[in-house]
Amino acid sequence: MSSFRGRDVLSIRDFTPADIQLVLRTARKMVPIAVGEKRSRSLEGKILSTLFYEPSTRTRLSFESAMARLGGRALGFSSAEGTSVQKGETLADTIRMVEAYSDAIVLRHPHEGAARLAAEFTEKPVLNAGDGAGQHPTQTLLDLYTIWDEKGSFEGQSVTLVGDLKYGRTVHSLAYALAELGAHLTFVSPPTLEMPPEILEQVKEKGLSFRAAHRLEEVIRDTDVLYVTRIQKERFPDPQEYEKVAGSYRVDMDVLRDAKRGLIIMHPLPRVTEIAPEVDRTKHAVYFKQAFNAVPVRMALLDLILGEGA
Amino acid sequence: MRELRVTPIKNGTVIDHIPAGLALKVLKILGIGDAVTSTVTVAMHVPSQAMGWKDIVKVEDRELGGRELDKIALIAPTSTVNVIRNYNVAEKRPLALPDRAVGILRCANPNCISNVREPIESSFVVRSKSPLRVVCKYCDRELEDIVSHIL
């Protein structure tokens, strides 16, 4: 029996490299079911609650799709409006109630640590679908799956994370996991949006070297995976300053002139202007595939946690 | 003979060897304010052979324990806590920093779920004892200014 049965998914730190590999291998087997070529009834009769206290269309729909593809059902809400939350119900009470209605709970919540709290109030598995500026482990797993699926391994891959590395929660968890899996990391950001020191400390603890740069052109030549994130306008008090900074991290054909032939470009989406549309047509662009990967990866997790074979 | 600056107490607790300057923080931890019903003696900047300078707090008719000791261990782990009964040291209560600080610190992150109305106690994992570093169990953030976040 897998160690996944009934398990919570709260933070990527709870996953060992072996756990991650198991999720990735299971996800690959799920692809034919995720695209509708094969059918599965492995979660028939199971119910997944999706509690979204703030909207996230992509995450919620891919969880619901994953559950449906495996023969299960999903129920829930997509914003706190109109629920008992508005009447002042605590998260703890909502979880105790929902526990009685479903076999597993997916939670997106505006407060950091909400998923950990939820897990303390239920025996049913809790899957963290983003808690404030905190963790979003299933996003990290689908990012890892995309790299593994495209490149075949993590060890020795040169992964460059570019954009807002200070506030972007996906890049923090991803940096941690990639360091654990043996990738070489490069961080490219404006000076005001650099990777926080505690994340750098964790990467160092893994015994890995990393480098930091302010310009994409300096590092594109030896990058295997380019992970682009959005630089949010609201981080800059001066709109002109934003335009200047955002423009200098834009990935376009000019920047890609010196890129490796096998370079892949990823983005958690939605993107604004950080990747030029003409890049979509190159073989480097895998961000739409990455968005699709959300389904097989979430199927893998649900099947490992809830499935009979688990 | 050396004159005693602080007289012995009959019953209560003596917290000695507090690093100089921290006595008032110890008082804060013990919740010693207006509603105190017994005598509290504070000596600050007292010469000490071992420490150079130290602070002492004596609380009459009150024996400290549990979370109060954990809180003192957080800010002044070198202090000694003696319970006095009938002018004698009846018990020496060791100060040991716990691996988890439960219900004694408030998370500095305003967006942490432990700062919202939920039926939980704050909880911090002690990552390192010297220097003291604690991380919130819920939001995973390190608490920077520990002393000013004692509940």
Side-chain angles (χ1 to χ4, degrees):
Chain A
M1 194 166 89
S2 139
S3 61
F4 270 84
R5 181 127 205 193
R7 167 178 178 170
D8 297 318
V9 177
L10 303 178
S11 160
I12 197 70
R13 276 161 229 250
D14 305 333
F15 286 72
T16 64
D19 290 338
I20 292 173
Q21 293 289 351
L22 177 63
V23 174
L24 304 187
R25 285 198 308 273
T26 310
R28 183 170 276 168
K29 288 185 212 152
M30 293 294 173
V31 171
I33 309 167
V35 296
E37 282 171 15
K38 272 179 151 183
R39 295 198 173 254
S40 167
R41 306 246 60 93
S42 89
L43 296 187
E44 192 162 30
K46 303 276 188 195
I47 298 174
L48 180 70
S49 287
T50 55
L51 311 186
F52 279 67
Y53 285 78
E54 52 181 25
S56 168
T57 321
R58 200 181 319 273
T59 305
R60 187 170 59 86
L61 292 183
S62 64
F63 262 115
E64 293 181 359
S65 168
M67 196 64 188
R69 290 284 192 202
L70 291 170
R73 303 278 300 264
L75 48 86
F77 52 83
S78 54
S79 86
E81 265 171 55
T83 67
S84 51
V85 177
Q86 273 194 325
K87 298 175 191 154
E89 185 172 63
T90 61
L91 175 61
D93 279 0
T94 306
I95 293 295
R96 286 190 273 219
M97 179 236 349
V98 166
E99 177 184 49
Y101 303 158
S102 55
D103 301 292
I105 299 168
V106 173
L107 178 71
R108 156 74 62 110
H109 197 277
H111 288 290
E112 282 105 71
R116 198 164 289 281
L117 177 142
E120 287 176 4
F121 285 90
T122 173
E123 294 292 310
K124 303 277 170 70
V126 172
L127 292 93
N128 186 2
D131 55 344
Q135 304 287 325
H136 192 1
T138 62
Q139 173 75 43
T140 308
L141 287 166
L142 79 89
D143 290 342
L144 293 173
Y145 177 79
T146 305
I147 296 173
W148 177 75
D149 192 43
E150 296 291 328
K151 301 304 249 177
S153 70
F154 296 103
E155 213 148 320
Q157 298 288 345
S158 169
V159 183
T160 298
L161 307 178
V162 60
D164 177 357
L165 305 185
K166 187 173 181 184
Y167 300 102
R169 71 175 156 203
T170 55
V171 288
H172 299 163
S173 308
L174 186 61
Y176 175 85
L178 284 170
E180 180 127 304
L181 292 163
H184 294 298
L185 295 170
T186 301
F187 304 126
V188 181
S189 67
T192 51
L193 297 175
E194 281 174 2
M195 198 58 112
E198 62 266 24
I199 309 288
L200 298 180
E201 203 177 306
Q202 289 163 8
V203 173
K204 270 190 219 158
E205 275 171 22
K206 300 282 162 207
L208 284 167
S209 61
F210 60 86
R211 56 182 179 164
H214 292 310
R215 289 172 52 81
L216 198 45
E217 289 82 351
E218 294 166 25
V219 300
I220 192 76
R221 212 179 282 270
D222 51 12
T223 293
D224 298 306
V225 178
L226 183 63
Y227 193 98
V228 186
T229 62
R230 184 157 43 112
I231 294 178
Q232 294 184 20
K233 215 174 201 162
E234 51 272 30
R235 305 284 179 218
F236 292 86
D238 177 1
Q240 266 187 321
E241 186 61 21
Y242 163 77
E243 296 297 341
K244 213 168 78 192
V245 168
S248 63
Y249 294 91
R250 185 174 148 94
V251 178
D252 55 20
M253 298 312 279
D254 251 9
V255 170
L256 293 176
R257 211 175 32 220
D258 295 329
K260 281 188 179 182
R261 190 199 277 264
L263 169 81
I264 60 166
I265 304 172
M266 298 171 61
H267 192 298
L269 303 178
R271 73 168 152 176
V272 188
T273 56
E274 53 278 8
I275 301 176
E278 66 258 28
V279 177
D280 299 356
R281 291 190 296 272
T282 68
K283 58 187 182 323
H284 303 302
V286 300
Y287 28 91
F288 295 116
K289 202 164 167 204
Q290 180 187 357
F292 160 76
N293 288 341
V295 178
V297 168
R298 289 179 174 134
M299 285 170 75
L301 280 170
L302 292 171
D303 202 45
L304 287 167
I305 291 166
L306 289 176
E308 292 302 323
Chain B
M1 201 181 102
R2 211 162 62 100
E3 188 192 338
L4 284 174
R5 286 174 203 271
V6 188
T7 51
I9 59 173
K10 186 178 180 192
N11 293 304
T13 307
V14 175
I15 308 159
D16 199 351
H17 304 105
I18 302 169
L22 291 180
L24 296 179
K25 288 190 173 128
V26 171
L27 293 184
K28 185 185 169 229
I29 284 175
L30 300 179
I32 290 168
D34 300 334
V36 175
T37 52
S38 64
T39 303
V40 176
T41 317
V42 179
M44 294 182 76
H45 223 249
V46 180
S48 153
Q49 275 193 333
M51 305 170 69
W53 301 99
K54 66 175 182 179
D55 290 355
I56 305 168
V57 171
K58 295 187 178 198
V59 187
E60 294 186 32
D61 301 323
R62 181 168 155 192
E63 296 188 5
L64 303 181
R67 286 197 175 169
E68 290 168 321
L69 297 183
D70 287 349
K71 289 185 193 180
I72 295 170
L74 273 182
I75 64 154
T78 56
S79 310
T80 53
V81 177
N82 291 333
V83 174
I84 310 294
R85 290 179 201 133
N86 203 17
Y87 296 106
N88 289 316
V89 176
E91 249 181 81
K92 288 178 186 284
R93 300 224 162 132
L95 280 184
L97 198 55
D99 292 333
R100 274 181 187 273
V102 178
I104 61 179
L105 293 168
R106 183 175 57 77
C107 184
N109 172 11
N111 205 41
C112 175
I113 195 78
S114 68
N115 284 321
V116 183
R117 192 185 57 85
E118 291 289 341
I120 51 159
E121 286 191 298
S122 74
S123 180
F124 287 81
V125 179
V126 177
R127 187 171 278 177
S128 139
K129 296 193 176 179
S130 179
L132 181 62
R133 292 178 69 189
V134 297
V135 175
C136 175
K137 171 182 141 186
Y138 290 98
C139 74
D140 233 10
R141 302 259 178 102
E142 182 164 349
L143 187 58
E144 301 278 336
D145 179 5
I146 294 172
V147 171
S148 59
H149 289 93
I150 292 175
L151 287 169

Short mmCIF file of all heavy atoms in Angstrom, two decimals, chain A residues 271-293:
data_model
loop_
_atom_site.label_atom_id
_atom_site.label_comp_id
_atom_site.label_asym_id
_atom_site.label_seq_id
_atom_site.Cartn_x
_atom_site.Cartn_y
_atom_site.Cartn_z
N ARG A 271 -0.47 35.00 -18.21
CA ARG A 271 0.63 35.92 -18.55
C ARG A 271 0.03 37.23 -19.03
O ARG A 271 -1.11 37.26 -19.48
CB ARG A 271 1.50 35.32 -19.63
CG ARG A 271 0.81 35.36 -20.96
CD ARG A 271 1.67 35.06 -22.13
NE ARG A 271 0.81 34.50 -23.16
CZ ARG A 271 1.23 34.18 -24.36
NH1 ARG A 271 2.49 34.34 -24.68
NH2 ARG A 271 0.40 33.69 -25.24
N VAL A 272 0.81 38.27 -18.94
CA VAL A 272 0.36 39.54 -19.48
C VAL A 272 1.25 39.89 -20.67
O VAL A 272 0.97 39.52 -21.80
CB VAL A 272 0.31 40.65 -18.41
CG1 VAL A 272 -0.34 41.90 -18.95
CG2 VAL A 272 -0.46 40.17 -17.18
N THR A 273 2.39 40.53 -20.38
CA THR A 273 3.27 40.88 -21.50
C THR A 273 4.64 40.23 -21.39
O THR A 273 5.51 40.49 -22.21
CB THR A 273 3.48 42.41 -21.56
OG1 THR A 273 3.99 42.82 -20.28
CG2 THR A 273 2.18 43.13 -21.85
N GLU A 274 4.84 39.39 -20.35
CA GLU A 274 6.20 38.90 -20.09
C GLU A 274 6.70 37.89 -21.12
O GLU A 274 7.91 37.67 -21.21
CB GLU A 274 6.36 38.39 -18.65
CG GLU A 274 5.37 37.37 -18.19
CD GLU A 274 4.04 37.95 -17.72
OE1 GLU A 274 3.81 39.16 -17.89
OE2 GLU A 274 3.21 37.20 -17.22
N ILE A 275 5.80 37.28 -21.88
CA ILE A 275 6.25 36.44 -23.00
C ILE A 275 5.56 36.96 -24.26
O ILE A 275 4.33 37.02 -24.30
CB ILE A 275 5.90 34.95 -22.79
CG1 ILE A 275 6.53 34.42 -21.49
CG2 ILE A 275 6.38 34.12 -23.98
CD1 ILE A 275 6.16 32.99 -21.16
N ALA A 276 6.34 37.31 -25.25
CA ALA A 276 5.77 37.85 -26.49
C ALA A 276 4.97 36.74 -27.21
O ALA A 276 5.39 35.58 -27.20
CB ALA A 276 6.89 38.36 -27.39
N PRO A 277 3.84 37.09 -27.84
CA PRO A 277 2.99 36.09 -28.50
C PRO A 277 3.72 35.27 -29.56
O PRO A 277 3.41 34.09 -29.75
CB PRO A 277 1.87 36.91 -29.14
CG PRO A 277 1.87 38.21 -28.43
CD PRO A 277 3.26 38.44 -27.92
N GLU A 278 4.72 35.88 -30.24
CA GLU A 278 5.41 35.11 -31.29
C GLU A 278 6.19 33.92 -30.72
O GLU A 278 6.49 32.98 -31.44
CB GLU A 278 6.32 36.01 -32.14
CG GLU A 278 7.51 36.61 -31.42
CD GLU A 278 7.30 38.07 -31.05
OE1 GLU A 278 6.12 38.47 -30.85
OE2 GLU A 278 8.29 38.82 -30.96
N VAL A 279 6.48 33.97 -29.41
CA VAL A 279 7.20 32.86 -28.78
C VAL A 279 6.30 31.62 -28.71
O VAL A 279 6.80 30.48 -28.75
CB VAL A 279 7.70 33.27 -27.37
CG1 VAL A 279 8.38 32.11 -26.65
CG2 VAL A 279 8.66 34.46 -27.47
N ASP A 280 4.99 31.84 -28.66
CA ASP A 280 4.03 30.71 -28.57
C ASP A 280 4.24 29.69 -29.69
O ASP A 280 3.99 28.51 -29.52
CB ASP A 280 2.58 31.20 -28.67
CG ASP A 280 2.22 32.16 -27.55
OD1 ASP A 280 3.06 32.38 -26.66
OD2 ASP A 280 1.09 32.70 -27.57
N ARG A 281 4.66 30.19 -30.86
CA ARG A 281 4.78 29.31 -32.02
C ARG A 281 6.10 28.55 -32.06
O ARG A 281 6.29 27.69 -32.91
CB ARG A 281 4.62 30.14 -33.31
CG ARG A 281 3.19 30.67 -33.51
CD ARG A 281 3.02 31.25 -34.89
NE ARG A 281 3.88 32.42 -35.10
CZ ARG A 281 3.51 33.67 -34.79
NH1 ARG A 281 2.32 33.91 -34.30
NH2 ARG A 281 4.32 34.67 -35.00
N THR A 282 7.01 28.89 -31.14
CA THR A 282 8.31 28.18 -31.15
C THR A 282 8.18 26.87 -30.39
O THR A 282 7.25 26.68 -29.60
CB THR A 282 9.41 29.02 -30.47
OG1 THR A 282 9.11 29.10 -29.07
CG2 THR A 282 9.49 30.43 -31.05
N LYS A 283 9.14 25.98 -30.61
CA LYS A 283 9.10 24.70 -29.89
C LYS A 283 9.53 24.86 -28.43
O LYS A 283 9.42 23.93 -27.63
CB LYS A 283 9.94 23.65 -30.61
CG LYS A 283 11.39 24.04 -30.79
CD LYS A 283 12.09 23.02 -31.65
CE LYS A 283 13.58 23.33 -31.82
NZ LYS A 283 13.93 24.77 -31.93
N HIS A 284 10.02 26.05 -28.11
CA HIS A 284 10.41 26.30 -26.72
C HIS A 284 9.19 26.40 -25.80
O HIS A 284 9.27 26.10 -24.62
CB HIS A 284 11.19 27.61 -26.60
CG HIS A 284 12.42 27.67 -27.45
ND1 HIS A 284 13.44 26.75 -27.33
CD2 HIS A 284 12.81 28.55 -28.41
CE1 HIS A 284 14.41 27.06 -28.20
NE2 HIS A 284 14.04 28.14 -28.88
N ALA A 285 8.07 26.87 -26.35
CA ALA A 285 6.92 27.21 -25.51
C ALA A 285 6.19 25.96 -25.02
O ALA A 285 5.67 25.19 -25.83
CB ALA A 285 5.95 28.09 -26.30
N VAL A 286 6.19 25.73 -23.71
CA VAL A 286 5.45 24.57 -23.19
C VAL A 286 4.39 25.00 -22.17
O VAL A 286 3.80 24.16 -21.51
CB VAL A 286 6.39 23.50 -22.55
CG1 VAL A 286 7.38 22.97 -23.58
CG2 VAL A 286 7.11 24.02 -21.33
N TYR A 287 4.13 26.33 -22.07
CA TYR A 287 3.24 26.79 -20.99
C TYR A 287 1.79 26.35 -21.12
O TYR A 287 1.10 26.20 -20.12
CB TYR A 287 3.34 28.30 -20.76
CG TYR A 287 3.73 29.12 -21.96
CD1 TYR A 287 2.78 29.65 -22.82
CD2 TYR A 287 5.08 29.37 -22.21
CE1 TYR A 287 3.16 30.40 -23.92
CE2 TYR A 287 5.47 30.12 -23.31
CZ TYR A 287 4.51 30.63 -24.17
OH TYR A 287 4.88 31.37 -25.26
N PHE A 288 1.34 26.11 -22.35
CA PHE A 288 -0.05 25.63 -22.46
C PHE A 288 -0.13 24.14 -22.13
O PHE A 288 -1.09 23.68 -21.52
CB PHE A 288 -0.62 25.94 -23.85
CG PHE A 288 -0.74 27.42 -24.08
CD1 PHE A 288 0.00 28.06 -25.07
CD2 PHE A 288 -1.55 28.20 -23.26
CE1 PHE A 288 -0.08 29.44 -25.24
CE2 PHE A 288 -1.64 29.57 -23.43
CZ PHE A 288 -0.90 30.19 -24.43
N LYS A 289 0.93 23.43 -22.46
CA LYS A 289 1.02 22.03 -22.08
C LYS A 289 1.10 21.91 -20.55
O LYS A 289 0.50 21.02 -19.93
CB LYS A 289 2.26 21.42 -22.72
CG LYS A 289 2.20 19.95 -22.84
CD LYS A 289 3.26 19.45 -23.80
CE LYS A 289 3.38 17.96 -23.66
NZ LYS A 289 4.67 17.48 -24.10
N GLN A 290 1.86 22.83 -19.98
CA GLN A 290 1.99 22.90 -18.52
C GLN A 290 0.61 23.07 -17.87
O GLN A 290 0.30 22.42 -16.87
CB GLN A 290 2.90 24.08 -18.20
CG GLN A 290 3.19 24.36 -16.75
CD GLN A 290 3.97 25.67 -16.61
OE1 GLN A 290 4.33 26.32 -17.60
NE2 GLN A 290 4.25 26.06 -15.38
N ALA A 291 -0.23 23.92 -18.47
CA ALA A 291 -1.58 24.13 -17.93
C ALA A 291 -2.41 22.85 -18.04
O ALA A 291 -3.15 22.49 -17.13
CB ALA A 291 -2.27 25.28 -18.67
N PHE A 292 -2.24 22.13 -19.15
CA PHE A 292 -2.94 20.84 -19.30
C PHE A 292 -2.46 19.84 -18.25
O PHE A 292 -3.24 19.07 -17.68
CB PHE A 292 -2.74 20.25 -20.70
CG PHE A 292 -3.02 18.77 -20.74
CD1 PHE A 292 -4.34 18.32 -20.72
CD2 PHE A 292 -1.99 17.85 -20.72
CE1 PHE A 292 -4.60 16.94 -20.70
CE2 PHE A 292 -2.25 16.48 -20.70
CZ PHE A 292 -3.56 16.03 -20.69
N ASN A 293 -1.14 19.86 -17.96
CA ASN A 293 -0.56 18.90 -17.02
C ASN A 293 -1.19 18.96 -15.64
O ASN A 293 -1.07 18.02 -14.84
CB ASN A 293 0.95 19.10 -16.91
CG ASN A 293 1.69 18.64 -18.16
OD1 ASN A 293 1.15 17.87 -18.95
ND2 ASN A 293 2.92 19.12 -18.33
#
